[in-house]
Amino acid sequence: MINTAVIFAGGKGTRFLEQTRFLPKPMILAKGVPLLVHVINHYVKYGVSQFVVLTGFKQEEFSKYFKNQSSYTYDQFLETFKREDGIEIKLLDTGEDTLTGGRLKILLEKIELDNFYLTYGDGISDVDIDLLTKFHFESNKLVTVTAVNPPPRFGDLEIEGNLVTEMREKHESRPSWINGGYFVVSGSISEFLTKDEPFEQAPLRTIAEKKELAAYKHNGYWQCVDTIRELEILENDLDEKRI
C-alpha cells in the first residue's frame, strides 16, 4: 500500500497573475477551498494520510492557511500539520526558483520514500487512485504517469504555403494524450534527478527511453487551473457535481 502523496506547489504561476500576485496558485480558492486542499481531499478518499507539499513561491501562505484551520494542529518538532483523523501534512520549502526536478531531489534527500504518489497542486481530477496503483504495480515500472485527453482548446488550421486549405473545429481535432500528473513513483528515481531541470523533461525522457515509464489512461474528469477561465470552468463543474 502507498500512503504518501507528494504535491508540487512551489511555482510562481505566472500565467495567472491576476491572483498569483498575492497567492501561490495552489492556494487559489475554488468554491471557497484552495486547489491544494481539493487535491489532498481526493487522495484522502482513497486512504492516503501522509502528504508532503513542496513549496517555494510565497511559501508562508501555506503555513498561514493551515494554522488558521481549527481542524489542524501544528507539530513544531515534526514541522507537520495534523488532523484528528490521522491526516498529516508536511510543508517542505524547496526554494522559490527551484525547478520541479530539483524540488523532488531535495525531497528525496530529506525523506526516504519507497513508492509514493506525486502530483501538482493545481490539477483537479476524479482519477481512481486504487486502479492507478494497481496498474502501476502490475506494470512493474519506475514511474507511472496518468495520461489525460482533455478537449482541445482551439480548432486546427491546415496550411499549405501561405493559404489555409482546411479549418477543423475543436471537436474534429485528433485526440492527444498529455501529462495529467497523478504519478506513482519509485524512490529509486533519485539517480535521474538534478537540481537544475524540470522533472518533466530530461528525467522523464530518460526514464521513458529506458522503458520504465508507464501511462495510465484516464478518461474521466481532469481540469488544470492556469487561468481565470479555467477556474470558472472548475467552479461550475463543482457546482454541477461533475467532480
Side-chain angles (χ1 to χ4, degrees):
M1 179 179 177
I2 301 175
N3 197 37
T4 300
V6 176
I7 304 174
F8 286 126
K12 294 183 178 179
T14 54
R15 286 181 288 182
F16 204 162
L17 287 176
E18 297 92 340
Q19 295 212 30
T20 55
R21 293 181 194 275
F22 314 104
L23 286 172
K25 189 164 60 165
M27 296 307 295
I28 291 172
L29 302 182
K31 304 307 294 182
V33 177
L35 297 173
L36 174 69
V37 176
H38 283 290
V39 173
I40 289 172
N41 288 343
H42 182 65
Y43 280 104
V44 168
K45 287 191 297 185
Y46 290 91
V48 179
S49 63
Q50 307 291 316
F51 295 87
V52 184
V53 182
L54 305 183
T55 66
F57 177 67
K58 295 186 180 294
Q59 58 85 23
E60 69 280 358
E61 295 296 331
F62 295 91
S63 181
K64 183 190 302 184
Y65 173 83
F66 287 108
K67 284 179 178 177
N68 287 335
Q69 301 303 303
S70 60
S71 55
Y72 288 92
T73 58
Y74 182 59
D75 185 320
Q76 190 168 8
F77 178 72
L78 296 175
E79 298 179 326
T80 301
F81 293 90
K82 296 184 176 182
R83 272 186 356 201
E84 289 184 357
D85 59 2
I87 303 303
E88 296 187 0
I89 300 173
K90 182 178 183 62
L91 304 178
L92 181 59
D93 184 1
T94 52
E96 184 167 317
D97 297 313
T98 311
L99 299 176
T100 49
R103 297 189 194 282
L104 200 49
K105 191 167 183 66
I106 291 169
L107 164 75
L108 294 175
E109 288 173 349
K110 291 180 176 292
I111 302 174
E112 185 175 342
L113 294 172
D114 186 8
N115 290 289
F116 59 96
Y117 300 114
L118 174 67
T119 196
Y120 304 94
D122 60 355
I124 310 301
S125 177
D126 64 357
V127 60
D128 189 313
I129 301 299
D130 288 341
L131 291 180
L132 169 63
T133 306
K134 182 174 183 288
F135 176 89
H136 174 74
F137 285 116
E138 288 178 348
S139 299
N140 195 31
K141 302 299 182 185
L142 282 177
V143 179
T144 296
V145 58
T146 296
V148 297
N149 182 20
R153 295 174 60 192
F154 308 105
D156 292 336
L157 296 179
E158 188 72 31
I159 299 174
E160 294 182 7
N162 293 322
L163 294 177
V164 175
T165 58
E166 184 179 357
M167 294 186 65
R168 289 188 291 268
E169 297 298 327
K170 288 188 289 187
H171 66 276
E172 296 175 345
S173 298
R174 184 175 63 185
S176 60
W177 295 97
I178 65 170
N179 168 14
Y182 293 87
F183 297 89
V184 188
V185 180
S186 165
S188 62
I189 65 160
S190 184
E191 64 182 280
F192 297 97
L193 303 173
T194 67
K195 290 184 177 179
D196 59 356
E197 64 186 351
F199 170 63
E200 304 82 2
Q201 294 183 11
L204 277 188
R205 283 200 300 267
T206 301
I207 292 168
E209 289 166 1
K210 292 181 176 294
K211 302 189 185 305
E212 287 291 336
L213 178 61
Y216 175 77
K217 293 181 179 178
H218 173 61
N219 290 296
Y221 186 88
W222 181 85
Q223 179 64 56
C224 66
V225 181
D226 280 330
T227 64
I228 286 179
R229 175 57 182 150
E230 288 171 343
L231 178 61
E232 290 171 347
I233 291 170
L234 174 62
E235 291 192 311
N236 182 70
D237 290 343
L238 289 166
D239 280 337
E240 298 294 328
K241 302 190 184 305
R242 297 192 183 107
I243 176 66

